[in-house]
Amino acid sequence: MATRPKKLTHVDAANRPRMVDVSAKPPTRRTAIAEAIVEFPEAAAKLLSSGGLRTNKGPVVETAIIAGVMAAKRTHELIPFCHPLALEDCQVRIEMRDARQLRIECEVSVTGRTGVEMEALTGASVAALTVYDMTKALSHGIVIRSTRLIEKTGGRKDYRASR
């Protein structure tokens, strides 16, 4: 017997898009962690590292952190059916994963009726886009890879990606 696909929450009975009504849900502590990987061609990675992760546009990591936090806070303005949330915390961490890759992690938390997965994913994505923008003069061969949800807690069920 085939399993039925889960019902999409942002579509009503007549198959029209809608925002989900979360008013009946109890507020709970909700967190989400997302990551994005930025991979540089070897020559660009060497130039970036030798410059202390700075370019003519400024400090790459610090600027990407600020951009990621700003984006997470404004997710509802970018994603049509996201609820506006008063985020209680948003941390963007960026580290060199190896000689050619930066790992960006965005962790977001709120006490509310809906999760913050989209905020974490948006923060990680915009931080990665900011890294690209600030380093594209080194190479247009930079690739943003593997933007994904790592973990979420709160709400109906928790989630943790396999690493």
Side-chain angles (χ1 to χ4, degrees):
M1 184 186 261
T3 58
R4 289 183 69 195
K6 291 182 178 184
K7 185 177 184 261
L8 296 174
T9 58
H10 289 82
V11 179
D12 68 13
N15 227 16
R16 290 183 302 256
R18 70 174 179 107
M19 187 174 202
V20 174
D21 180 359
V22 297
S23 61
K25 292 182 175 184
T28 60
R29 178 75 172 168
R30 295 161 183 267
T31 62
I33 302 171
E35 76 173 2
I37 306 298
V38 181
E39 186 174 284
F40 298 91
E42 189 173 344
K46 285 180 182 176
L47 282 170
L48 187 59
S49 293
S50 70
L53 300 180
R54 294 182 66 85
T55 67
N56 290 340
K57 289 187 172 188
V60 174
V61 170
E62 290 82 355
T63 305
I65 289 170
I66 293 166
V69 171
M70 288 175 66
K73 290 169 35 175
R74 300 183 78 164
T75 298
H76 70 282
E77 295 176 19
L78 302 168
I79 309 295
F81 297 120
C82 282
H83 295 82
L85 299 174
L87 301 184
E88 294 164 348
D89 193 20
C90 180
Q91 300 296 320
V92 176
R93 294 177 281 276
I94 302 176
E95 63 185 6
M96 288 302 292
R97 190 176 199 188
D98 60 31
R100 295 184 49 209
Q101 290 186 347
L102 271 181
R103 180 179 182 269
I104 299 167
E105 181 180 273
C106 181
E107 181 173 0
V108 181
S109 61
V110 69
T111 301
R113 292 180 164 89
T114 187
V116 288
E117 299 97 300
M118 293 309 301
E119 287 73 11
L121 286 161
T122 300
S125 297
V126 170
L129 289 168
T130 301
V131 169
Y132 185 98
D133 178 56
M134 295 189 72
T135 60
K136 68 185 180 215
L138 303 176
S139 172
H140 284 94
I142 299 163
V143 178
I144 298 172
R145 298 193 185 283
S146 184
T147 301
R148 66 184 184 138
L149 181 67
I150 299 297
E151 178 181 317
K152 83 156 207 82
T153 62
R156 261 186 278 139
K157 61 182 176 183
D158 293 345
Y159 169 81
R160 184 171 195 87
S162 48
R163 298 254 177 176

